[in-house]
Amino acid sequence: MRFAAVLNRDGGTLRTTDLSGFCDRLRQTLEAAGHSVDVDVVAGEDIAAALQKAARRRDVDVVLAGGGDGTISAAAGLLMNRKTALAVLPAGTMNLFARGLGVPQTLDAALKSFADGEVIAVDMASANGRPFIHQFSIGLHAKMVQLREGMEFGSRLGKMRASARAAWATIKNPPALKVTLTIGEAEIVTRATGIGVTNNLFGEGHLPYADNPAGGVLGIYISVARRRGELVRVFFDMARGKWRDSAHVEIHQAESARLKIHAASSKYRAVMDGELVQLERETEIAIHPGALKVLVPSRVARAEAA
């Protein structure tokens, strides 16, 4: 296969990696397996243009994207409903989409898995037509991200510490949104502290990512916790992947959902795949089965086929 690798030198763990040496290993690993590869290392401000250029190439079978959540989400959006596959280099903080695909979590191990990997189709989701691969969320998560954005951190560990501080600040002063959530024929009117809509249901007992990235459903998680102790418990359950054990989280699944905010939407933000976006008054969210081709380790492809 022919690869076009686009690496965000300012994103995730790549900012502290010896990129010259890593690029040499990338070429050697893929070329030793009979593939060809072009490598483009760019600054964060140039990543969107570099990914667009790679996605438009007709001679490329796989776009290998390396960076944080924003980089991977942008690459997936460009390749949605295309024949070109995406290879996810796990260079972010949590690498949740890569984990769901079974990609090894170290850079060199991921490269080796790509060398003999296979292409499968997985789902994507969209919010008002904008694609996402992991989660669209409002309330608790959005406020936490907004607070974290105002903090300084220069490493993966620093980001995790900033996330913890932002989570505690959110727990002490949680948001409360009056919303109408339409799921199929059901209409839920509630005052929620947080709502997350995910590209497939999260698995249990681990970090929040989908065990089956081709499950064909949205996961809809509604936090009804209000007291500080309840909110602490929600964050604790979330970190442990104990969604179904939580007494303060309602879980639904559907192929589509409509979210309406009963407030001035300009007061709030949403988070899509880790990035803050403007929250609109009404949001239509849908699952798109098999909309993204991805390169996964051969053992994962064999398990999917079985």
Side-chain angles (χ1 to χ4, degrees):
M1 293 185 288
R2 186 169 186 85
F3 286 73
V6 181
L7 307 182
N8 181 354
R9 72 185 185 206
D10 299 323
T13 57
L14 293 181
R15 74 177 73 179
T16 56
T17 298
D18 173 9
L19 284 175
S20 176
F22 177 72
C23 288
D24 287 342
R25 297 196 302 276
L26 188 158
R27 293 187 183 93
Q28 292 167 5
T29 299
L30 294 179
E31 290 174 356
H35 308 294
S36 60
V37 58
D38 297 322
V39 183
D40 195 9
V41 179
V42 299
E45 62 187 16
D46 300 320
I47 194 67
L51 288 170
Q52 287 177 348
K53 181 180 177 181
R56 289 175 183 157
R57 289 181 54 177
R58 295 184 178 181
D59 62 334
V60 165
D61 303 298
V62 180
V63 173
L64 190 160
D69 291 337
T71 298
I72 304 305
S73 185
L78 291 167
L79 297 174
M80 185 176 181
N81 296 319
R82 299 277 302 276
K83 291 182 179 180
T84 307
L86 171 66
V88 180
L89 187 69
T93 305
M94 304 302 287
N95 304 313
L96 298 172
F97 189 57
R99 290 176 189 271
L101 299 178
V103 176
Q105 292 301 293
T106 63
L107 298 181
D108 288 288
L111 290 180
K112 291 177 182 177
S113 78
F114 297 151
D116 64 351
E118 298 180 33
V119 175
I120 64 171
V122 298
D123 305 336
M124 289 190 68
S126 66
N128 283 350
R130 179 174 174 173
F132 64 93
I133 52 174
H134 180 58
Q135 180 175 236
F136 171 92
S137 59
I138 63 172
L140 291 170
H141 185 209
K143 183 171 183 177
M144 187 192 79
V145 171
Q146 199 164 7
L147 290 172
R148 188 184 66 200
E149 291 296 299
M151 301 176 184
E152 293 185 4
F153 51 86
S155 66
R156 179 180 179 181
L157 183 58
K159 184 176 181 180
M160 293 173 71
R161 288 172 175 164
S163 294
R165 294 197 301 272
W168 178 239
T170 301
I171 287 169
K172 290 193 294 184
N173 186 23
L177 299 86
K178 185 178 179 181
V179 302
T180 297
L181 187 61
T182 305
I183 306 171
E185 299 296 321
E187 187 174 86
I188 302 170
V189 181
T190 186
R191 193 168 183 83
T193 47
I195 296 177
V197 184
T198 63
N199 179 22
N200 286 294
L201 287 161
F202 288 154
E204 293 286 311
H206 53 61
L207 291 170
Y209 61 85
D211 285 337
N212 181 7
V217 296
L218 299 171
I220 302 168
Y221 300 82
I222 306 171
S223 168
V224 294
R226 290 186 175 87
R227 296 186 179 91
R228 186 173 296 183
E230 295 172 347
L231 291 162
V232 169
R233 186 70 186 182
V234 166
F235 275 92
F236 186 58
D237 287 341
M238 180 175 64
R240 297 185 305 143
K242 298 295 184 180
W243 296 98
R244 301 192 185 282
D245 291 344
S246 178
H248 306 293
V249 177
E250 299 176 6
I251 304 175
H252 305 267
Q253 64 182 62
E255 294 179 358
S256 63
R258 181 188 303 115
L259 177 67
K260 183 177 181 180
I261 308 299
H262 298 284
S265 59
S266 58
K267 292 172 56 179
Y268 300 104
R269 296 289 185 270
V271 172
M272 292 182 65
D273 289 343
E275 302 291 323
L276 285 168
V277 298
Q278 180 65 49
L279 176 61
E280 299 180 51
R281 178 65 65 89
E282 293 192 26
T283 305
E284 296 278 351
I285 308 169
I287 194 82
H288 303 275
L292 180 67
K293 303 294 190 300
V294 290
L295 185 67
V296 298
S298 56
R299 57 176 174 76
V300 175
R302 289 194 297 269
E304 286 286 323

